[in-house]
Amino acid sequence: MKYSELETPRLLLRGWRETDVDDFFAYCRHPEVGPAAGWPPHEDKGTSRNVMWKFMEAGDVWALVDRQTRRVIGSVGLHEDKRRDNPNCRMLGYALSADCWGQGLMTEAAQAVLRYAFETLCLEMVTVYHYPFNSRSRRVIEKCGFRYEGTLRRGTVRFDGQVLDNVCYSLLREEYEQLRR
């Protein structure tokens, strides 16, 4: 699936380009970015290039481009939610450069993706998960209007062998529509 480009006041959400590898590596190597989302920090540009190619092939992850600097500062995707057997549901996933934390950029991007998910793709539901320690992600999720479903205890074995809980949220189309009113 290939998603359309989206624009917000500060961001352009677009498909990945091979020329994005330097920007992608720059934020993926940070020691706090990947582990908060469940993946190891990238050790070299080859790793970043391989992940980026997978994004390009799948077409379900946008590059987040800062409209002012034209740098790629993060990613946001709508993925198959492997925890659910519902083809009309996608899982929101995201990562943002640590340099950009605390500016509301991911909330801005996530809201644009939710609008696309419900108004263009006509999904029934969007889900999202975070680890208990990831309070930044929790704030994005809350600002976007997701509803807490519960905690899947010891739901994930992370890349480093650590077994972590998944804090689970969802947003139904009718809830999204109510928020838009």
Side-chain angles (χ1 to χ4, degrees), residues 45-101:
K45 282 186 193 174
T47 300
S48 296
R49 187 174 288 110
N50 289 338
V51 171
M52 201 174 70
W53 283 339
K54 288 177 184 172
F55 288 169
M56 291 164 74
E57 186 178 300
D60 63 355
V61 179
W62 288 274
L64 293 185
V65 180
D66 182 311
R67 290 170 64 126
Q68 204 166 36
T69 66
R70 293 294 190 210
R71 285 182 29 245
V72 174
I73 58 168
S75 62
V76 61
L78 282 173
H79 312 281
E80 175 187 353
D81 186 341
K82 295 180 178 168
R83 294 176 182 95
R84 296 176 194 261
D85 186 21
N86 180 349
N88 207 15
C89 170
R90 292 282 180 277
M91 178 185 71
L92 180 69
Y94 47 81
L96 184 66
S97 171
D99 297 341
C100 300
W101 289 353

Side-chain angles (χ1 to χ4, degrees), residues 30-174:
H30 190 280
E32 293 180 61
V33 172
W39 42 269
H42 292 189
E43 294 182 17
D44 53 58
K45 282 186 193 174
T47 300
S48 296
R49 187 174 288 110
N50 289 338
V51 171
M52 201 174 70
W53 283 339
K54 288 177 184 172
F55 288 169
M56 291 164 74
E57 186 178 300
D60 63 355
V61 179
W62 288 274
L64 293 185
V65 180
D66 182 311
R67 290 170 64 126
Q68 204 166 36
T69 66
R70 293 294 190 210
R71 285 182 29 245
V72 174
I73 58 168
S75 62
V76 61
L78 282 173
H79 312 281
E80 175 187 353
D81 186 341
K82 295 180 178 168
R83 294 176 182 95
R84 296 176 194 261
D85 186 21
N86 180 349
N88 207 15
C89 170
R90 292 282 180 277
M91 178 185 71
L92 180 69
Y94 47 81
L96 184 66
S97 171
D99 297 341
C100 300
W101 289 353
Q103 299 173 35
L105 290 166
M106 189 50 70
T107 301
E108 187 175 313
Q111 288 171 338
V113 169
L114 289 171
R115 194 166 35 258
Y116 182 77
F118 290 114
E119 296 177 16
T120 301
L121 299 179
C122 298
L123 296 178
E124 288 177 17
M125 175 193 294
V126 176
T127 59
V128 66
Y129 305 88
H130 71 81
Y131 297 132
F133 63 82
N134 193 341
S135 59
R136 290 181 186 281
S137 190
R138 179 180 43 80
R139 285 298 301 137
V140 170
I141 291 164
E142 290 171 349
K143 288 178 188 176
C144 288
F146 283 88
R147 296 203 180 168
Y148 174 72
E149 290 187 334
T151 299
L152 186 60
R153 299 185 311 161
R154 298 183 184 170
T156 300
V157 178
R158 198 169 61 175
F159 67 91
D160 56 4
Q162 196 170 8
V163 180
L164 298 169
D165 293 347
N166 296 123
V167 185
C168 311
Y169 299 81
S170 64
L171 185 63
L172 301 174
R173 183 194 332 232
E174 53 269 25

